Amino acid sequence: MTAFISKMIALFMSIIAFFTVAIQFVNKQEAAPTEPAETETAEPQPTEPQPGSEAWIQAEAQKLYDDMTLRERVGQLFCVAPEALQVKDGVSYSSTVWNDAMDEVMADYPAGGIIFFGANVENPSQLTALTERVHASYAITPMIAIDEEGGRVARIGRNTNFDVPRFDSMEAVGDTGDPQNAYDAGVAIGTYLAGYGIDIDFAPVADVNTNPSNIVIGDRAFGSDPELVADMVTAAVEGFHEVGIITSLKHFPGHGDTTGDTHDGYVAVTKEWEELKSCELIPFLAAMDSTDMIMAAHITLPNITSDGLPASLSYEMLTEKLRGELGYDGLIATDSLSMGAIVNTYGSAESAKTAFLAGADLLLMPRDYIDAFDGMVQAVESGEITGQRLEESVLRILQLKLRYEIITPEAE
């Protein structure tokens, strides 16, 4: 009997223990956190690019381009002198004042850039009024350019009505051997250009003056040593940029080893490509990533290109060599299309189209602006120039204008 009672007590205790464990387990399960229900996550909203950033500049340039007419787009490709807009009975004339007649021409032929020469520069108050008038008169503000190298090519610096720093030559700056002096020259020249409302200086000269018989470059170059010239050019670009001036290296692929002048007619450089890379191209390569623009020369290179064209009109030179092999993706400008090396052989519309199809973005000073403009419009309308090719160059120009605040979205 006692044994039976003991077994029953043990069984009862086991049952109590079982239920105790079970209750504890249930309590733990109820206390355990539940997994949150799966919900759809919202797609991250795209953020607007910061004003002034490259993404913002590209987006704003695209908006501007999309809103432009064909003629406005084509016009952005041209940089012309005021005389091109004052044609009367086939004769153009110089001007120091922007007038209503020029506005009328710009309404139909809206140039993207205006370049001033000595004939357009009279005194400080006149120049300031002229640049302010140009900048304020048009929906897509034109860039204002000048050749102000320092030395013998200086439209303002050689005018005694202006109290500005003056330089004997860039060769004299190069002779110091100190790139700081080239930087200082860029700051000094750029400061007074900016003060008078100039946006672009077609400088510095990146040519290596290796030919003592050179009649067009000479002391405009920093010197005959390509490494020295490279250091000077790079420093000068930094100086111009410090004060907000757009730069253009010139004259690609190098005008230093010539005896002829492309202002007058045909000029050839007989060097091969590897020879240029070991000398003339060194300054261009050194400053290629920092400059805003490279100006193509009208020199012909028979041992490099097979097309027989001046570099400024050569697809082989501008697209295959400069953009392709050398990797340059900035803006390409032609030298003046009114120079003898061009006009002695090509018409205005022909040279503009050929240069553009070769890879140039900015077409500088065709002899007959109206003819060149009409030819470009017709080439786009006919499909000779594709919409994609036009957009590519116009966007480069609009982006440059936005980058330097020549145009702003608010103003447009």
Side-chain angles (χ1 to χ4, degrees):
M1 185 67 178
T2 303
F4 174 79
I5 292 172
S6 297
K7 288 181 180 179
M8 291 302 292
I9 292 171
L11 177 61
F12 180 74
M13 294 301 292
S14 297
I15 292 171
I16 291 173
F18 172 81
F19 279 106
T20 300
V21 171
I23 289 169
Q24 291 175 345
F25 177 80
V26 170
N27 287 340
K28 286 182 179 179
Q29 289 295 101
E30 290 177 348
T34 57
E35 291 292 329
E38 289 188 8
T39 58
E40 290 188 15
T41 56
E43 289 292 327
Q45 294 299 312
T47 57
E48 289 293 324
Q50 289 295 313
S53 67
E54 279 302 305
W56 178 87
I57 287 169
Q58 292 173 16
E60 292 299 328
Q62 188 67 58
K63 291 177 188 176
L64 286 169
Y65 181 86
D66 292 342
D67 288 340
M68 294 166 74
T69 66
L70 173 58
R71 295 184 73 83
E72 287 172 333
R73 292 169 179 174
V74 167
Q76 290 302 303
L77 306 173
F78 288 97
C79 184
V80 300
E83 292 80 1
L85 306 172
Q86 294 203 75
V87 177
K88 184 177 181 181
D89 300 325
V91 179
S92 64
Y93 52 95
S94 299
S95 177
T96 56
V97 178
W98 200 264
N99 56 43
D100 293 342
M102 299 159 102
D103 286 335
E104 292 176 10
V105 176
M106 284 283 281
D108 291 329
Y109 297 88
I114 304 295
I115 181 170
F116 294 151
F117 286 84
N120 312 117
V121 175
E122 192 171 69
N123 58 59
S125 60
Q126 169 270 330
L127 180 57
T128 300
L130 183 58
T131 57
E132 288 178 351
R133 174 76 159 78
V134 175
H135 277 152
S137 297
Y138 305 102
I140 306 295
T141 309
M143 301 181 288
I144 298 177
I146 201 165
D147 288 303
E148 194 77 9
E149 300 168 5
R152 57 189 166 103
V153 178
R155 316 306 182 191
I156 296 173
R158 291 179 65 83
N159 185 324
T160 57
N161 291 327
F162 291 83
D163 182 16
V164 297
R166 291 178 168 84
F167 298 86
D168 291 337
S169 67
M170 289 302 103
E171 180 181 66
V173 174
D175 285 345
T176 69
D178 187 354
Q180 180 64 43
N181 291 325
Y183 174 88
D184 292 342
V187 170
I189 295 171
T191 297
Y192 70 73
L193 292 183
Y196 290 121
I198 307 296
D199 303 306
I200 303 172
D201 191 0
F202 285 117
V205 172
D207 300 309
V208 182
N209 189 38
T210 55
N211 193 326
S213 300
N214 194 313
I215 61 173
V216 65
I217 301 301
D219 64 2
R220 294 167 64 190
F222 284 104
S224 58
D225 178 347
E227 298 294 344
L228 170 70
V229 174
D231 291 341
M232 294 290 173
V233 166
T234 302
V237 167
E238 292 175 0
F240 281 116
H241 284 175
E242 179 67 25
V243 291
I245 294 295
I246 296 167
T247 60
S248 177
L249 307 185
K250 61 186 185 184
H251 308 78
F252 178 84
H255 211 314
D257 190 15
T258 60
T259 55
D261 187 346
T262 48
H263 290 86
D264 301 326
Y266 174 89
V267 175
V269 171
T270 58
K271 286 186 174 181
E272 297 184 354
W273 184 242
E274 291 304 315
E275 292 180 285
L276 289 186
K277 287 172 70 176
S278 67
C279 183
E280 281 80 2
L281 290 174
I282 289 175
F284 291 95
L285 291 168
M288 186 175 289
D289 292 336
S290 57
T291 192
D292 307 286
M293 198 182 310
I294 290 178
M295 176 186 286
H298 299 320
I299 56 174
T300 304
L301 301 112
N303 291 324
I304 298 175
T305 59
S306 60
D307 52 26
L309 297 171
S312 55
L313 308 187
S314 172
Y315 182 88
E316 292 178 56
M317 185 56 64
L318 298 188
T319 296
E320 293 181 357
K321 293 295 188 185
L322 181 53
R323 291 214 187 279
E325 182 175 336
L326 301 183
Y328 178 66
D329 62 0
L331 196 146
I332 298 175
T334 68
D335 205 343
S336 169
L337 294 172
S338 61
M339 290 164 61
I342 300 299
V343 299
N344 292 350
T345 305
Y346 310 96
S348 295
E350 180 186 10
S351 62
K353 288 188 294 184
T354 305
F356 186 73
L357 289 170
D361 303 296
L362 190 65
L363 307 172
L364 182 60
M365 296 177 61
R367 179 170 59 177
D368 185 333
Y369 172 49
I370 306 304
D371 182 55
F373 190 109
D374 288 342
M376 288 292 290
V377 170
Q378 291 165 11
V380 175
E381 291 176 335
S382 70
E384 182 181 1
I385 293 173
T386 66
Q388 179 181 353
R389 175 68 189 89
L390 178 65
E391 182 174 4
E392 177 184 290
S393 286
V394 176
L395 285 179
R396 281 196 184 101
I397 293 165
L398 293 176
Q399 288 168 12
L400 185 66
K401 289 185 175 185
L402 285 161
R403 197 170 291 124
Y404 282 86
E405 299 182 348
I406 298 167
I407 56 176
T408 63
E410 293 76 18
E412 304 310 325

